Amino acid sequence: MALRWLSAGLGLPILVLLILGAVTTSAQQTRPQPHQASPQQQQAAKPANIDRNGVLMLIRSTLLAVDQANKTGNYTVLRDLGAPGFQVNTAARLAEIFAKQRGDKLDLSGVAVIDPQLSLLPQIEPNGLLHMAGFFPSVPSQVNFELLFAPVEGQWRVFGVSLSVGQSAPVAPAEPETAPGKAVVSQKQAAPSKAGLPSKQPVPSATQ
């Protein structure tokens, strides 16, 4: 099973893709859309028995751990928070994968105060992993995420993370260019005189 963003082709960059503990990157210019599982997955997956507060804690703690690792350049804690399948990535390898986010100074701290909107409600996959997806709306960018968690000693621990940044505010089209030195002037055409009547002419004033 692999996590994949569905694309609408609107030109928004995927920044990082971590799949089932194996780290890969993608340069595809796409916009994540609400997750759609295959018919086979839809039949096998079942809703997760977890309340809203638990969901918020998992999402926020995971993304804030990524944010702190990006800001400090130390990915040891992020790796240690993961499930054994996630820990196959060394801290150095995670630093390589998140290098672009560090360079862009991506700030994910807003996830601590903004409520996420879920496009895929938490569900348990056939392999026992907890799976959810959604986004944090903000201006001018929104953070899209897709997460997998594995049960480890009675706790859900991160197993897969997919992050991207998309534009949430509408963008106005570019202004049309006009040739230098030329102005666009609107002129009203004079109304025609009534048939059979001469148009009114100004009467010269007489001076005495």
Side-chain angles (χ1 to χ4, degrees):
M1 173 185 168
L3 298 182
R4 294 182 184 275
W5 288 126
L6 302 180
S7 169
L10 298 182
L12 298 178
I14 289 181
L15 297 181
V16 170
L17 185 60
L18 310 185
I19 299 179
L20 303 182
V23 182
T24 60
T25 59
S26 172
Q28 183 182 4
Q29 301 279 315
T30 58
R31 175 170 184 158
Q33 295 295 314
H35 181 87
Q36 295 180 356
S38 66
Q40 191 174 25
Q41 290 176 333
Q42 287 177 347
Q43 293 174 0
K46 59 183 180 180
N49 185 18
I50 181 172
D51 62 15
R52 180 178 180 275
N53 290 335
V55 172
L56 290 178
M57 289 173 60
L58 287 174
I59 295 173
R60 284 176 170 156
S61 62
T62 300
L63 298 189
L64 288 175
V66 173
D67 186 56
Q68 292 171 3
N70 285 341
K71 289 177 177 176
T72 62
N74 185 347
Y75 292 84
T76 303
V77 174
L78 175 62
R79 178 183 180 275
D80 292 344
L81 290 174
F86 185 82
Q87 292 178 1
V88 299
N89 303 298
T90 64
R93 178 59 177 151
L94 292 175
E96 292 177 6
I97 295 301
F98 286 97
K100 187 177 189 310
Q101 288 191 1
R102 286 198 313 277
D104 293 342
K105 299 187 182 301
L106 177 65
D107 187 2
L108 299 175
S109 58
V111 304
V113 295
I114 302 173
D115 286 339
Q117 297 185 20
L118 295 180
S119 56
L120 175 67
L121 296 178
Q123 64 183 32
I124 304 299
E125 299 294 345
N127 55 9
L129 296 177
L130 174 63
H131 185 193
M132 64 185 75
F135 62 94
F136 284 86
S138 59
V139 177
S141 298
Q142 70 181 26
V143 177
N144 309 285
F145 63 86
E146 190 166 356
L147 304 173
L148 282 174
F149 298 90
V152 179
E153 298 179 352
Q155 293 183 339
W156 290 112
R157 300 179 66 174
V158 64
F159 187 75
V161 180
S162 177
L163 293 178
S164 69
V165 174
Q167 194 161 28
S168 60
V171 179
E175 295 183 5
E177 296 183 359
T178 57
K182 292 184 179 180
V184 178
V185 180
S186 175
Q187 295 181 347
K188 292 184 178 179
Q189 187 175 5
S193 302
K194 291 184 179 180
L197 295 178
S199 58
K200 294 183 179 179
Q201 299 293 332
V203 179
S205 58
T207 57
Q208 293 180 355

